[in-house]
């Protein structure tokens, strides 16, 4: 069977997360995005574990609520600030792992994503002991990722490098970028949302499609390890240009720089603040190949722009967090079952019967890859623009003096 899984989220017990990141809301929102399985995140936190325990137990490592399945996972930050993702086979391995790192962490009970005063090798050693999967989270980002502080898997995980079976690509990279690095060819690539809010522009903005025999932790583990016929069959994610750290840019004024220019300026922006190295530049710096070479097992990567973002542009709103965008999103998802159906599968003629010409045209433009993306960098997301917005939209000038305009649907 084929399933969609978002294997990296954060609960309301992590820093800077929405209060709505409770198990009930996540379990109801996931199917509307088209996702069958969500990794819980934050499972070392007692408060979050209590919520997870409220779900129906499918087996020792799989839980269920409102038809959404959950598997146990967490992210931890090591002493070098590298983020690691961990997947647990059952609750007792969660407890055992916690016991092993307890004396080396000051915020285990206060932060869903704890800091641990250990290195990658030490963490991997404990993980291996307890049959926990471990790998780098958002591996190429400039603040808290493996390749920000290390030059290779070996440099991060030492002699345990062979125990690593996956890396998470992060929003600013995709398979075409990551497969430029030879040491990653043997690994499974995970594409996850790392969301802090259940809003449809965040939850499952990236996910994995796996071939499995059942919707359980053990089956997903086999898919990550690519054994017994289980495997990832698709990575789905934002166009990497939409990610916050795609290009090298200033963290304060967001001016973008080429790698050469940034190096010449010693990573100092004209405004005086720091320039952070973009994922594109970091990968090119480390690449072993000029042209990407994919290993045979690598699945296709599909670039998805969240439907709410497409609607936002089509109806001329400034952000996707408005009542208008929500209403239009709800209308489409209700009619066709899930966001992924609307974006990819449903006939555009059927979509046009449910929504406005402007939204239909915008979805069509997305499918034909005509949406324009202004790359992100320095912590600022990339921005999308629709081609020829004048075609289906009426420009209404509100305050001609300060050139503020809104775009209205016909
Ligand atoms: Zn992280
Ligand atoms: Zn600047």
């Amino acid at each position: 069977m084929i399933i969609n899984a978002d294997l990296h989220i954060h609960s309301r017990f992590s820093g800077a997360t929405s209060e709505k990141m409770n198990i009930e809301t996540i379990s109801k929102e996931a199917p509307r995005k088209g996702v069958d399985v969500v990794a819980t995140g934050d499972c070392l936190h007692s408060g979050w574990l209590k919520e997870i325990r409220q779900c129906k137990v499918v087996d020792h490592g799989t839980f269920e609520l409102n038809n959404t399945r959950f598997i146990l996972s967490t992210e931890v930050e090591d002493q070098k600030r590298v983020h690691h993702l961990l997947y647990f086979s059952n609750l007792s391995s969660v407890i055992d792992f916690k016991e092993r790192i307890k004396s080396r962490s000051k915020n285990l009970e206060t932060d869903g994503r704890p800091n641990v005063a250990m290195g990658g090798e030490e963490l991997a050693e404990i993980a291996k002991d307890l049959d926990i999967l471990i790998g780098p989270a958002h591996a190429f980002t400039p603040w808290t990722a493996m390749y920000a502080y290390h030059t290779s898997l070996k440099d991060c995980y030492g002699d345990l490098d062979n125990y690593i079976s996956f890396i998470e690509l992060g929003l600013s990279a995709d398979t075409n970028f990551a497969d430029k690095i030879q040491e990653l060819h043997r690994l499974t690539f995970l594409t996850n949302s790392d969301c802090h809010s259940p809003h449809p522009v965040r939850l499952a903005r990236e996910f994995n499609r796996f071939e499995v025999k059942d919707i359980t932790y053990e089956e997903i583990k086999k898919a990550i390890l690519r054994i017994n016929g289980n495997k990832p069959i698709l990575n789905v994610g934002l166009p990497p240009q939409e990610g916050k750290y795609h290009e090298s840019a200033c963290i304060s004024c967001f001016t973008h720089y080429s790698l050469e220019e940034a190096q010449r300026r010693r990573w100092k922006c004209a405004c005086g603040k720091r320039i952070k190295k973009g994922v594109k530049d970091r990968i090119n710096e480390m690449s072993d190949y000029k042209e990407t070479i994919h290993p045979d097992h690598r699945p296709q990567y599909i670039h998805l722009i969240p439907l709410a973002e497409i609607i936002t542009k089509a109806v001329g709103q400034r952000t996707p967090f408005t009542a208008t965008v929500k209403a239009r999103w709800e209308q489409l998802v209700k009619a066709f079952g899930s966001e992924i159906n609307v974006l990819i599968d449903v006939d555009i003629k059927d979509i046009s019967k449910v929504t406005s010409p402007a939204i239909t045209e915008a979805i069509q433009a997305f499918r034909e890859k005509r949406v324009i993306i202004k790359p992100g960098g320095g912590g600022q997301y990339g921005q999308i623009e629709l081609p020829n917005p004048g075609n289906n939209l009426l420009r209404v000038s509100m305050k001609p003096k300060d050139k503020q305009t809104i775009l209205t649907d016909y």
Side-chain angles (χ1 to χ4, degrees), residues 2-6 29-37 191 200-201 203-210 234-238 300-308 310-311 329-330 332-348 351 363 366-367:
I2 286 166
I3 59 166
N4 294 330
D6 180 356
E29 292 301 322
R32 301 196 321 147
K33 290 286 295 190
V35 160
D36 310 285
V37 181
T191 37
V201 290
L203 180 66
R205 57 190 163 177
E206 306 218 334
F207 63 86
N208 313 275
R209 182 168 286 178
F210 295 121
L234 198 63
N235 287 107
V236 181
L238 299 178
Q300 195 195 346
Y301 193 108
I302 288 188
H303 295 122
L304 272 199
I305 297 172
L307 178 60
I310 295 171
I311 295 172
W329 186 88
E330 296 277 353
L332 280 165
V333 170
K334 202 171 162 214
F336 302 112
S338 75
E339 174 168 329
I340 185 94
N341 289 345
V342 176
L343 283 174
I344 294 187
D345 300 320
V346 178
D347 195 310
I348 202 78
I351 288 179
I363 293 171
F366 157 71
R367 289 183 179 184

Side-chain angles (χ1 to χ4, degrees), residues 95-342:
I95 307 299
D96 292 345
F97 182 78
K98 226 173 140 172
E99 199 55 36
R100 298 273 292 267
I101 63 165
K102 196 166 73 178
S103 64
R104 312 279 290 277
S105 177
K106 292 195 179 82
N107 57 354
L108 253 185
E109 288 307 330
T110 49
D111 198 328
R113 195 219 6 83
N115 299 68
V116 187
M118 289 181 174
E121 185 168 8
E122 235 178 321
L123 281 165
E125 224 170 82
I126 301 173
K128 192 179 178 189
D129 262 7
L130 299 172
D131 194 24
I132 296 161
L133 294 180
I134 182 170
H138 42 78
F140 312 101
T141 53
W143 294 104
T144 53
M146 181 177 82
Y147 285 118
Y149 304 102
H150 297 281
T151 51
S152 65
L153 285 162
K154 184 116 197 139
D155 191 36
C156 179
Y157 294 103
D159 287 345
L160 270 291
D161 62 336
N162 276 326
Y163 183 65
I164 309 305
S165 53
F166 69 86
I167 65 157
E168 182 188 61
L169 297 181
L171 306 183
S172 298
D174 66 7
T175 300
N176 277 334
F177 280 106
D179 268 336
K180 284 185 173 178
I181 300 170
Q182 193 187 9
E183 70 165 349
L184 302 181
H185 281 198
R186 70 169 184 84
L187 301 180
T188 290
F189 289 168
L190 294 183
T191 37
N192 303 314
S193 72
D194 195 356
C195 69
H196 292 201
S197 146
H199 190 281
V201 290
R202 300 279 186 257
L203 180 66
R205 57 190 163 177
E206 306 218 334
F207 63 86
N208 313 275
R209 182 168 286 178
F210 295 121
E211 165 93 55
V212 290
K213 290 166 196 77
D214 197 359
I215 313 177
T216 62
Y217 172 78
E218 288 302 328
E219 286 291 313
I220 290 167
K221 179 183 172 182
K222 283 178 194 161
I224 292 173
L225 299 176
R226 304 192 306 275
I227 53 175
N228 288 21
N230 291 16
K231 58 190 179 194
I233 53 170
L234 198 63
N235 287 107
V236 181
L238 299 178
Q241 295 77 10
E242 270 210 72
K244 280 197 240 185
Y245 295 104
H246 185 66
E247 292 193 341
S248 296
C250 172
I251 58 167
S252 174
C253 72
F254 306 116
T255 303
H256 287 227
Y257 291 91
S258 68
L259 183 61
E260 298 71 34
E261 177 69 0
Q263 282 166 341
R264 202 176 57 73
R265 304 190 65 100
R266 296 176 183 213
W267 300 93
K268 205 168 175 189
C269 179
C271 80
K273 293 281 166 42
R274 277 168 88 181
I275 301 167
K276 268 289 174 190
K277 195 183 286 176
V279 164
K280 184 176 82 174
D281 288 334
R282 183 65 182 130
I283 291 176
N284 283 334
E285 228 174 28
M286 290 184 305
S287 62
D288 299 298
Y289 313 108
K290 265 214 167 84
E291 298 293 326
T292 306
I293 301 170
H294 297 297
D296 290 342
H297 68 82
R298 187 74 66 221
Q300 195 195 346
Y301 193 108
I302 288 188
H303 295 122
L304 272 199
I305 297 172
L307 178 60
E309 263 184 57
I310 295 171
I311 295 172
T312 304
K313 291 294 168 183
V315 300
Q317 303 267 305
R318 287 185 197 283
T319 84
F321 306 102
T322 66
T324 307
V325 175
K326 187 168 190 286
R328 298 303 173 89
W329 186 88
E330 296 277 353
Q331 195 178 32
L332 280 165
V333 170
K334 202 171 162 214
F336 302 112
S338 75
E339 174 168 329
I340 185 94
N341 289 345
V342 176

Side-chain angles (χ1 to χ4, degrees), residues 8 10 75-77 81-85 113 137-138 141 144-145 168 194 196:
H8 184 179
H10 288 280
E75 181 182 42
V76 300
E77 179 171 313
R81 296 197 68 196
V82 176
H83 285 192
H84 306 266
L85 273 176
R113 195 219 6 83
H138 42 78
T141 53
T144 53
E168 182 188 61
D194 195 356
H196 292 201

Side-chain angles (χ1 to χ4, degrees), residues 4-25:
N4 294 330
D6 180 356
L7 300 182
H8 184 179
I9 65 159
H10 288 280
S11 75
R12 63 200 170 87
F13 296 102
S14 273
T17 52
S18 162
E19 266 305 302
K20 290 186 192 144
M21 285 308 267
N22 55 67
I23 205 91
E24 179 77 23
T25 305

